[in-house]
Structures are given as C-alpha cells and as structure tokens.
Amino acid sequence: MAVQRTLSIIKPDAVGKNVIGDIIRRFEENGLSVIGTRMTHLSAEQAGRFYAVHKERPFYQDLCDFMSSGPILAMALEGKNAVALNRQLMGATNPKEAEAGTIRADHADSIDANAVHGSDSQENAAIEISFFFADLDLHSRG
Ligand code: CMP
C-alpha cells in the first residue's frame, strides 16, 4: 500500500465539543501521522471556495454557513492508504448510517454537523491540502 496524504477537517461542532484530542488520537492509533495543522475560522466566502464542487447542491448554502460558524482545525495526514483509511475512521457522511465506533457515530449530530471532513480521492486531497497549507508547512516523517 502506497503512502498517501489526505486532508482532514475537524468541523465547528466537534471543535465546540472539545474532542480535537480524541479525533487526533484515533488517527495516530491507526497509523496516520499529522504532518500539518492549522486552526482557522473560515469566512462564508472561503468555505464556499473550499466546497465549490458542491455549488449546485441544495445543501451548499447551509454547508457554507455551518463551516463558517466557528473555528475549525485543518490537518494534513500522511500514512499508508491514508485517503481510504481516514474515510473508514470517519464513518458515513450521515451519522445515522455511520458504523459504530467511527468518529461520526461517536461525535456527529446530523449530516450538516458531522464532526469531520476527509478528502475523497488522492487528486482532491492534493487540491484540498494546498487550500490550507504551503509545502513549507508540511513535515513528512518519511
Ligand atoms: P463533507 O465530507 O464535509 O462534504 C460535504 C458536506 O456536505 C458533507 O460532509 C455534509 O456535512 C454536507 N451535506 C449536507 N447534506 C448532504 C447530502 N445530502 N449529501 C452529502 N453531503 C451533505
């Protein structure tokens, strides 16, 4: 399995619940390394640019409002099969469908306030990581 990078965002709901440490622990215990972190509070315009791929979806405005409602923690993660592994640890987008023991099953309240975001492909991971980080901000463990 190839070493990959992926983007994780701890969303405003999970930051508000003070479970940043619990979420990072799950990544580290499952073989992912945090190689970059940035805490920020997106404007609605920045959230809209990040989620531009969903522009035509009916939930776009609510998504942008929610993602700009409070601070988030963006992280670049690295490890074997990182894109799929992160998605497995997150669980399904809708927490009602998320497998027991996943981050969303344990911490998410709704499909909007669903605790975390993770890149869905290596191509999107590269785009999403570059939205938040310059190369100099990323520290691979090799
Ligand atoms: P995320 O992985 O951050 O990607 C887009 C987000 O849109 C998703 O998580 C959800 O929080 C939100 N969303 C709201 N409604 C839907 C929906 N019907 N399908 C997919 N995503 C949705």
Side-chain angles (χ1 to χ4, degrees):
M1 270 182 299
V3 172
Q4 300 174 343
R5 291 179 177 183
T6 192
L7 183 84
S8 169
I9 299 177
I10 302 182
K11 296 189 179 187
D13 56 321
V15 172
K17 288 179 181 173
N18 215 23
V19 292
I20 289 173
D22 179 71
I23 292 171
I24 292 178
R25 175 187 61 77
R26 293 170 193 237
F27 294 147
E28 292 186 336
E29 284 184 356
N30 286 280
L32 293 172
S33 299
V34 177
I35 62 163
T37 63
R38 181 173 168 199
M39 192 170 219
T40 188
H41 188 154
L42 296 174
S43 66
E45 186 272 332
Q46 288 170 321
R49 269 197 287 125
F50 181 78
Y51 280 114
V53 65
H54 294 305
K55 213 175 197 147
E56 306 305 329
R57 308 287 291 275
F59 56 82
Y60 179 69
Q61 191 57 52
D62 285 347
L63 174 62
C64 296
D65 290 347
F66 175 68
M67 289 302 289
S68 57
S69 67
I72 61 165
L73 187 76
M75 276 178 284
L77 303 175
E78 188 176 73
K80 284 184 188 155
N81 210 20
V83 173
L85 178 55
N86 180 35
R87 292 179 72 76
Q88 186 187 320
L89 295 173
M90 288 193 299
T93 306
N94 185 344
K96 287 186 188 135
E97 293 161 11
E99 212 175 299
T102 60
I103 294 168
R104 284 169 169 156
D106 290 345
H107 294 309
D109 296 323
S110 68
I111 197 165
D112 294 306
N114 67 348
V116 278
H117 166 81
S119 309
D120 64 3
S121 65
Q122 275 191 267
E123 188 190 3
N124 283 338
I127 294 167
E128 292 181 357
I129 288 171
S130 68
F131 185 92
F132 288 101
F133 299 100
D135 283 350
L136 281 173
D137 299 325
L138 301 174
H139 305 280
S140 179
R141 311 296 155 67

